[in-house]
Amino acid sequence: MDKDWKIQQPDGTLTVRTCGWSPPGDHPVGCGMKLHIKDGRLVKVEGDPEHPISQGRLCVRCLTLPEYVHHPQRIIYPMKRVGKKGEDKWQRISWDEAMDIICDKIRYFTDNYGAESIVVFGGTGREACLYYYPLAFSSIGTPNCCYPLSGWSCYGPRCSITDYILGAGYPEIDFAGYYPDRYDNPNYKLPEYVVIWGKNPLMSNPDGFYGHSIIDMMKRGTKIICVDPRIHWLGTRAEHVLQLRPGSDTALALGLLNVIINEDLYDHDFVENWTYGFEELKERVQEYPPEKVAEITWVPKEQIIEVARIIGTAKPCPIQWGLAVDENPNGVQLGHAILALIAITGNLDVPGGITIGPPAALMGKWRMETRSQLPDELWAKRIGAEEWPALSTAMATTHPDETLDTLETGKPYKLRMGWFNSSNFISATCSAQPDRWYRALQSLEFNVVQDTFMTPTAMAFADIFLPLPTFAEHDGVVLTHFGRNAIFMGAMNKAFEVGECKSDIEVCIELGKRLHPEHWPWDTAEEFFDDQLKPEFGFDFNDLREKGVFQPSYEYKKYEKGLLRFDGEPGFNTVTGMVELCSTLFEAWGEDPLPYYKEPHYSPYSTPELFKEYPFILTTGARTFTSFHSEHRQVPSLREITPDPIVEINPEAAEKLGIKDGDWVYLENMFGKCKQKAKLTKTIDSKVVHASHGWWYPEKPAEEPSLFGVWESNINTLIPHKHIGKLGFGAPFKSLICKVYKAED
Amino acid sequence: MSQYGLLIDYEYCTGCHSCEVSCKNEKKLAHGVYGIKLSEIGPFEITPGNWEWNYIPSPTKLCDLCADRIEKGEKPACVLHCLGLAMDYGPVEELAKKMAAKGKKMVMFVP
Ligand code: SF4
Ligand code: SF4
């Protein structure tokens, strides 16, 4: 790419090249774009044709960035609450005053109740994911850093499972992102098939995977198989859609393994040399013949067999696993079974198959290592760590469900101060039963919120609001998969300023320098990035700006070359040194070492009586092009495209209930109720409904009890607390039951 | 001089709306006014498992084929930003050849 990343145009416009991340959110996808600044305003955002991954393409969320950046409701100065909690009364203050107030409070709580009485909450996907851990451990000094989603049901389970089974970072399908010449690179091989399991990458751009790479591959000849309860647009272009019953995924994966193993379609060489526990797995999958799996999953037996044969014989045939693995109490077993499918069919660490990174790298590694700055006895107080070792070994956080219990009971100790970084989790995003969290969080005495807009969560709880800059307004480094599989790295460049905003790392440094200066030798964000990059790559942040994008390239079959284990021996970095088809660690933690199927907590089969009252299976959380979870609802051009929360219902089922397309309906179950707008579509089974998440209404009254209408369409109020798997992972966001009826009000 | 047009491959138009929004940005169009607008056909099932579901963006008379951008040697805004890389710009004869070569789900507009 061109060395000049900042160009002054003859008409006075400043053009700055950057790679996007957040806020506003998405994952670290790092799309290339040009920001045009005139008279202190962002006037236009354009795609950058030189960027090797996005190649000029840009989605509507970035194309409308000027509307977000200069939105009249955006908060661009530090604010202090001057009314009661829940009242919309604020006073602008300086950063110095904000920091003084915050530091006094942190010292007060630490001195009187111990640093563990402070909890830092972080949201999903945004850049904050790299910084809210060090904010807790290193700047504040508390062991309690919490991602509040029940069962840690987003990304964390997949990363942990991979760590235990493969001893590696995130397994991503090979889309040639490591190479400047992409699909033409001689080391690359185009996948014959890609299996997309519980995911819609075109809309979600998951964790650094550029979603439309799927389309690039399809144009070159890759065929698609989808595993999904909904037929989404990509499904209509797929060779197969295994349209399964929500929550029955693990049975399907075991059924596919059954066919592949019994028909001898697996890679003998890989199985013999690089796996542990194949015989045990073989015995286990005998319990899942295709006819039984067809009954459980509602996927026809013939289709299960046909797809299993494709997965067993197509080369390469990577499987891209989605959020459906995490949002399932039986998800650890699902993830394990999918990794087994990938491994025994010879698709691991091969060209066009599944690539694997190190368990952590760069800032992704640093964020975890900062926990060693806490004394052991303080680290031992981390909420839920002892009770849930499988979670607390891989994740440096508290256990989310235990954290809610602690807030409610004051046990093992009372939490007194909250810090919410980039998380609006009383909206239907990262919490189950957000109404219960809302009540429990009232017990906190003092709260800080870092965000860009006054969200329902900020309005309810913030005492101090610290404004975050968008990615157009601060420097940063975009790292796909947060460093767990750094396909490429991009420079995020500050192009201009709006108000007085400070980025996550800037706040970490400023607060850290006041409270724990020994951990914070850097004066600026740039110095920090220099220190992160230089030892590993020999270049600094400014060099990265000039490169624009850095693609480190990829070494295949690392397990043969001794490149995966810390001791430099061939094999995988697991207890047995092999891919663990039978897991030594799961067994040590009291779980079955082999994958098994468990029926959802609530379903037509596990709770038939309840199902009569609540006769639909409820699945939630599909993504749209126009929002990142609860973000973007206030951007006019995006709201015009997606004005309302949509629940998808099959027309036959809707007709019986007298529901027409466009009617507002209530969704209700044993736990809660909410209102969404019906969309009738045959792409969903007549016994299943799909509801949208992340809805609140920035145009509705801000103050309590409305809180921007956060409770009106809040689908997570229907999801129960602590219905999680045996190892502490996975909650049933995608497999509940409910009834649906027309809203007369 | 040849007539120029826009070619849409609606096998791969994913309905992302980037054409619509980038055109609005380029042409500074008011709310509710479009230089190109997406329409949706389907989804409906023709035979079991065989679905039809297409998105097709149609330019309006506000589309001048991005004359200013072309002059600067750039692609039209919609073509550049299209996530499906499903749009092309060029002389109609050339685009017609591309349509024929692909042989399905192609449409050309001469706005
Ligand atoms: S060519 Fe330009 S003016 Fe025409 S639809 Fe595309 S962006 Fe709009
Ligand atoms: S930008 Fe391309 S893929 Fe997106 S809606 Fe328009 S034509 Fe379709």
Side-chain angles (χ1 to χ4, degrees):
Chain A
M1 294 169 90
D2 198 333
K3 222 173 152 195
D4 279 338
W5 54 273
K6 206 173 189 174
I7 295 164
Q8 193 72 53
Q9 310 284 2
D11 71 343
T13 309
L14 180 70
T15 301
V16 177
R17 172 179 76 201
T18 197
C19 290
W21 188 351
S22 73
D26 201 342
H27 300 122
V29 195
C31 300
M33 64 195 97
K34 293 178 188 166
L35 308 168
H36 300 288
I37 316 296
K38 195 161 188 199
D39 303 326
R41 287 180 77 84
L42 177 64
V43 288
K44 193 156 107 184
V45 178
E46 273 187 294
D48 181 358
E50 279 192 75
H51 190 285
I53 309 291
S54 53
Q55 300 163 353
R57 295 172 276 187
L58 207 57
C59 81
V60 290
R61 297 189 299 274
C62 280
L63 287 168
T64 57
L65 189 65
E67 291 177 47
Y68 184 101
V69 165
H70 299 294
H71 197 288
Q73 282 177 309
R74 197 178 148 198
I75 310 291
I76 54 173
Y77 300 102
M79 292 286 174
K80 181 169 87 174
R81 189 187 288 276
V82 290
K84 289 203 299 269
K85 286 228 170 84
E87 272 181 357
D88 192 13
K89 291 189 180 141
W90 307 87
Q91 182 194 325
R92 179 178 160 187
I93 55 173
S94 68
W95 272 93
D96 257 341
E97 188 183 345
M99 282 291 162
D100 286 344
I101 296 171
I102 292 169
C103 288
D104 280 352
K105 288 285 184 184
I106 292 175
R107 287 196 193 99
Y108 166 78
F109 289 119
T110 305
D111 293 347
N112 290 287
Y113 306 102
E116 70 274 16
S117 64
I118 304 167
V119 55
V120 173
F121 297 105
T124 196
R126 276 197 197 171
E127 203 187 0
C129 293
L130 288 181
Y131 303 108
Y132 74 81
Y133 298 72
L135 175 72
F137 308 146
S138 202
S139 297
I140 297 174
T142 172
N144 289 324
C145 158
C146 175
Y147 175 62
L149 185 61
S150 178
W152 228 117
S153 299
C154 177
Y155 195 63
R158 275 172 289 163
C159 292
S160 305
I161 300 161
T162 309
D163 204 356
Y164 301 145
I165 303 301
L166 304 182
Y170 191 89
E172 184 55 270
I173 65 168
D174 189 356
F175 64 109
Y178 300 97
Y179 315 115
D181 50 351
R182 302 294 310 276
Y183 306 102
D184 297 328
N185 188 282
N187 292 331
Y188 183 71
K189 199 169 164 199
L190 189 76
E192 194 178 335
Y193 280 82
V194 173
V195 180
I196 298 174
W197 197 310
K199 197 176 193 106
N200 188 353
L202 300 183
M203 290 172 177
S204 63
N205 295 302
D207 310 296
F209 174 79
Y210 188 74
H212 277 71
S213 308
I214 294 286
I215 303 293
D216 299 346
M217 291 190 266
M218 287 166 77
K219 287 182 185 165
R220 288 168 172 78
T222 298
K223 293 187 220 94
I224 302 295
I225 293 169
C226 293
V227 180
D228 211 293
R230 301 159 70 234
I231 304 211
H232 46 58
W233 178 90
L234 194 53
T236 64
R237 267 64 174 168
E239 195 172 282
H240 283 279
V241 181
L242 302 177
Q243 195 174 7
L244 80 178
R245 173 168 66 96
S248 70
D249 306 51
T250 315
L252 181 63
L254 287 159
L256 296 169
L257 280 165
N258 172 295
V259 177
I260 289 168
I261 293 176
N262 289 344
E263 294 195 3
D264 195 11
L265 302 175
Y266 58 93
D267 182 327
H268 283 254
D269 180 60
F270 190 87
V271 165
E272 272 152 39
N273 293 310
W274 307 106
T275 67
Y276 168 81
F278 180 73
E279 287 307 317
E280 290 91 331
L281 179 69
K282 183 175 178 178
E283 198 184 316
R284 172 58 56 87
V285 304
Q286 300 314 313
E287 295 169 30
Y288 300 92
E291 43 290 338
K292 178 174 160 189
V293 170
E295 258 172 50
I296 299 173
T297 61
W298 303 350
V299 178
K301 176 185 148 191
E302 300 68 32
Q303 202 186 17
I304 297 171
I305 296 172
E306 200 179 330
V307 168
R309 288 178 182 155
I310 294 172
I311 298 174
T313 53
K315 297 285 176 247
C317 176
I319 303 175
Q320 191 178 46
W321 58 359
L323 190 66
V325 173
D326 305 324
E327 297 202 322
N328 179 345
N330 189 206
V332 167
Q333 290 70 34
L334 173 59
H336 192 184
I338 291 177
L339 290 179
L341 274 167
I342 292 166
I344 72 164
T345 52
N347 281 300
L348 197 59
D349 210 17
V350 296
I354 289 289
T355 63
I356 42 178
L362 297 170
M363 289 89 74
K365 191 166 172 212
W366 163 79
R367 70 169 164 174
M368 297 300 180
E369 286 172 352
T370 53
R371 74 191 185 199
S372 62
Q373 294 164 355
L374 297 172
D376 288 347
E377 52 299 353
L378 189 55
W379 185 239
K381 291 182 180 163
R382 183 169 48 133
I383 294 166
E386 208 181 310
E387 298 87 334
W388 302 96
L391 187 141
S392 64
T393 302
M395 312 307 298
T397 59
T398 64
H399 190 287
D401 299 77
E402 295 287 339
T403 312
L404 176 54
D405 291 346
T406 295
L407 280 165
E408 286 179 340
T409 61
K411 286 180 185 134
Y413 46 80
K414 193 166 156 27
L415 291 167
R416 293 172 189 273
M417 174 180 160
W419 187 304
F420 300 70
N421 185 1
S422 290
S423 190
N424 171 19
F425 69 92
I426 66 164
S427 76
T429 53
C430 41
S431 69
Q433 291 197 283
D435 43 336
R436 192 164 156 184
W437 276 95
Y438 165 76
R439 287 189 299 273
L441 288 164
Q442 305 288 346
S443 66
L444 295 173
E445 293 158 39
F446 178 76
N447 298 302
V448 180
V449 171
Q450 277 179 288
D451 221 316
T452 46
F453 282 85
M454 196 56 78
T455 65
T457 306
M459 184 55 69
F461 298 112
D463 292 293
I464 299 287
F465 186 107
L466 301 178
L468 284 169
T470 68
F471 68 80
E473 304 152 47
H474 73 281
D475 287 333
V477 175
V478 192
L479 201 56
T480 66
H481 284 295
F482 312 93
R484 284 186 173 101
N485 192 339
I487 294 151
F488 74 94
M489 226 165 37
M492 201 159 87
N493 294 318
K494 176 171 177 167
F496 74 124
E497 261 174 10
V498 174
E500 295 169 5
C501 302
K502 283 188 205 259
S503 70
D504 301 302
I505 184 65
E506 287 170 334
V507 170
C508 282
I509 292 175
E510 188 160 340
L511 191 68
K513 278 203 176 289
R514 287 172 179 244
L515 295 171
H516 297 281
E518 66 282 12
H519 304 322
W520 296 94
W522 313 282
D523 285 323
T524 62
E526 182 161 350
E527 277 178 33
F528 168 77
F529 293 123
D530 287 348
D531 256 20
Q532 289 288 315
L533 296 170
K534 262 217 162 126
E536 191 100 355
F537 302 108
F539 58 76
D540 64 15
F541 182 59
N542 202 49
D543 298 327
L544 184 64
R545 290 178 190 275
E546 290 181 355
K547 287 179 197 297
V549 161
F550 173 68
Q551 292 160 289
S553 193
Y554 190 82
E555 183 80 38
Y556 295 106
K557 297 208 173 182
K558 291 185 285 296
Y559 53 91
E560 286 182 352
K561 301 164 190 160
L563 296 173
L564 290 178
R565 292 179 58 82
F566 296 132
D567 60 13
E569 292 294 316
F572 290 83
N573 199 35
T574 58
V575 178
T576 56
M578 301 284 153
V579 173
E580 298 204 350
L581 302 176
C582 180
S583 167
T584 46
L585 287 171
F586 292 175
E587 192 163 36
W589 288 318
E591 176 59 288
D592 191 328
L594 293 161
Y596 60 87
Y597 174 64
K598 189 163 184 272
E599 187 60 28
H601 287 97
Y602 305 99
S603 84
Y605 307 115
S606 56
T607 52
E609 282 306 309
L610 261 184
F611 195 68
K612 284 183 198 148
E613 196 182 342
Y614 302 108
F616 287 99
I617 298 172
L618 167 68
T619 186
T620 72
R623 302 282 291 276
T624 65
F625 284 116
T626 48
S627 62
F628 183 65
H629 304 301
S630 69
E631 287 195 84
H632 297 102
R633 306 285 176 213
Q634 60 282 86
V635 177
S637 297
L638 298 176
R639 194 66 184 277
E640 186 184 327
I641 298 169
T642 313
D644 303 306
I646 292 297
V647 54
E648 292 174 344
I649 311 175
N650 182 287
E652 265 172 50
E655 200 189 343
K656 285 185 199 144
L657 297 166
I659 293 168
K660 288 193 234 28
D661 195 65
D663 282 349
W664 284 93
V665 299
Y666 278 109
L667 300 148
E668 184 177 340
N669 71 6
M670 313 73 86
F671 306 104
K673 168 176 163 178
C674 80
K675 197 174 173 181
Q676 301 207 353
K677 199 174 194 171
K679 178 180 170 182
L680 308 193
T681 173
K682 286 188 178 171
T683 55
I684 195 157
D685 188 276
S686 60
K687 291 183 277 309
V688 180
V689 293
H690 170 271
S692 312
H693 73 300
W695 273 89
W696 57 289
Y697 300 91
E699 68 278 16
K700 293 200 175 177
E703 296 199 338
E704 301 260 19
S706 160
L707 295 174
F708 301 104
V710 71
W711 306 116
E712 292 177 25
S713 302
N714 195 320
I715 192 65
N716 285 9
T717 58
L718 280 77
I719 314 293
H721 171 59
K722 223 176 188 180
H723 283 49
I724 53 179
K726 214 170 169 181
L727 295 180
F729 288 118
F733 288 88
K734 296 195 183 291
S735 51
L736 248 284
I737 58 174
C738 73
K739 65 179 172 187
V740 182
Y741 54 95
K742 204 167 153 171
E744 304 294 353
D745 50 348
Chain B
M1 212 184 95
S2 289
Q3 181 88 47
Y4 281 72
L6 284 177
L7 180 68
I8 319 287
D9 180 346
Y10 61 94
E11 184 181 1
Y12 293 115
C13 165
T14 61
C16 73
H17 293 268
S18 283
C19 48
E20 227 173 74
V21 174
S22 63
C23 177
K24 269 180 142 177
N25 286 352
E26 192 63 33
K27 297 284 156 201
K28 303 192 173 65
L29 300 176
H31 206 66
V33 178
Y34 300 89
I36 190 165
K37 177 96 176 85
L38 200 61
S39 53
E40 184 182 17
I41 298 151
F44 54 84
E45 204 174 16
I46 299 163
T47 52
N50 175 17
W51 291 84
E52 187 73 337
W53 189 351
N54 300 319
Y55 291 101
I56 299 178
S58 316
T60 71
K61 66 178 167 192
L62 288 165
C63 169
D64 65 352
L65 291 170
C66 277
D68 293 349
R69 293 180 62 96
I70 298 297
E71 192 144 307
K72 286 188 277 175
E74 294 171 345
K75 287 183 187 171
C78 55
V79 175
L80 173 68
H81 293 107
C82 174
L83 295 189
L85 293 178
M87 300 181 78
D88 210 343
Y89 161 84
V92 292
E93 299 78 18
E94 247 173 60
L95 297 183
K97 277 187 202 142
K98 289 182 181 175
M99 288 177 93
K102 179 159 186 262
K104 66 167 179 178
K105 293 209 164 179
M106 299 290 257
V107 55
M108 179 164 37
F109 288 98
V110 179

